[in-house]
Amino acid sequence: MRRTGDLKLIQELNRSIVLDTIRHYGPISRSEIAKRHKLSPTTVTSAVSELIRDSLVSEVGTGTSNGGRKPILLQFSPDSRFLIGISISGSKITIAEMNLEAKVRKKEVFTIKRYQGDQVIAYLLQIMEQFVLPYESLDNCVGISIVTQGIVDSDNGVIRYNPKLKLKDIPVKEIVESRFHSKTWLDNDTNAYLLAEKSIGDFSHYQNMIYVTIGDGLGSSILVNGSIYRGFAGGAGEFGHTTIDRTGVRCDCGNIGCLENYVSWPAIYAKLLSALAKGKQSCIFELAGHDVNHISSAVFRQALSQNDPLAESILEETASYLASGLVNLVHLFNPEAIILGGEIAFENELLVSKVTEYVHEYAHGIFTEGLAIRLNSLGEDVEVVGAAAVVLQDTFQFSL
Ligand SMILES: [Zn+2]
């Protein structure tokens, strides 16, 4: 029995290597795959047959011959199957259909309103039902991947703790699988975003980096020697709940003075409202159609692009708090790169330049030499592309 198990494992591994090679280097011939990985031609032929049978790979014409028969070239077929990616933030649920290269084909966004606890899960299931309604079946769906804030047990697919949405020990994987009969993954959102930047985005060459999401909360994910550092209970990277002021603001988590309450969108929004109430001059009120309820992070970024003094002064303050936190991370983990993502960071070059300035001023020179601080490369789609990256890595072992 043991030997059969080993053999099956080796076959699966070879199949993954072959698929990954076709994905990266296709159109490519069978013999070239064999040569690249020192695999036997029989091994490659049998793996390719399986991949063609599963529609993951197709034959696309012939290459040039070295004297003998012209070799048949193989190509990855990313549109043969699809997957569903879902991101649950503190304020919205985003759901999308993507192909096997994480290209978004259809995407919908829903506001969570004031739902909490079980209501959030009921709402999620309702959105999913509605989304899959037009599909005849999910037979061609590789799986469903859900990413969310807070502490997640990704092995068992359980949300351990999400203070913002009041979710505790929710077996999401089990609930979704029993309802939709499709394999389901659950992971922390920022871990998924980091995985996406590493496997699909522009950051594939870094082995030590930190992804920071600045949105309705503040999260981070830490890549150490090419692997995500998850900690003992899967909670590593809860950057937003690091304490910066023992006498500061009370946080949803029960602690006082958590960094999140100084740099996330709700903190920025509260500062904007208070400044506007005091009669501070700003174009924000006008950009929001003279309705404070319409002041969004997009409006804030728009004001920044118009050099609005109020928006700039709040950004400056936010960047300095964020940078203090980042200086701590830089000293603890000595990363090669820090990626800034989330609704506050999208296309926000001013945030990057301010944060870089502060980090370089306060972190030790040895740590900042060669340190890249950059915006995420996948834009707003990272929310669902991150979810896709989790499935693609686990199902096909797409190389990091
Ligand atoms: Zn907290």
Side-chain angles (χ1 to χ4, degrees), residues 163-240:
K164 201 156 274 135
L165 296 174
K166 306 266 183 291
L167 299 168
K168 200 161 188 300
D169 293 325
I170 312 280
V172 174
K173 176 182 161 71
E174 195 185 308
I175 295 170
V176 172
E177 282 184 346
S178 72
R179 176 79 73 100
F180 296 93
H181 310 289
S182 194
K183 189 169 178 191
T184 301
W185 287 259
L186 179 79
D187 210 331
N188 168 271
D189 55 359
T190 311
N191 283 344
Y193 305 159
L194 177 65
L195 189 67
E197 289 291 353
K198 178 91 177 109
S199 56
I200 300 163
D202 290 348
F203 294 85
S204 58
H205 51 297
Y206 293 109
Q207 297 301 314
N208 294 282
M209 60 177 167
I210 296 175
Y211 190 107
V212 176
T213 305
I214 315 128
D216 50 30
L218 177 71
S220 80
S221 177
I222 304 152
L223 190 81
V224 178
N225 297 333
S227 305
I228 289 175
Y229 178 70
R230 292 179 181 273
F232 177 57
E238 282 294 316
F239 184 41

Side-chain angles (χ1 to χ4, degrees), residues 240-241 251-255 258 261:
H241 298 285
C251 179
D252 286 336
C253 75
N255 202 352
C258 295
N261 301 305

Side-chain angles (χ1 to χ4, degrees), residues 245-261:
D245 181 0
R246 290 295 304 154
T247 57
V249 187
R250 166 82 60 185
C251 179
D252 286 336
C253 75
N255 202 352
I256 289 168
C258 295
L259 179 58
E260 176 167 298
N261 301 305

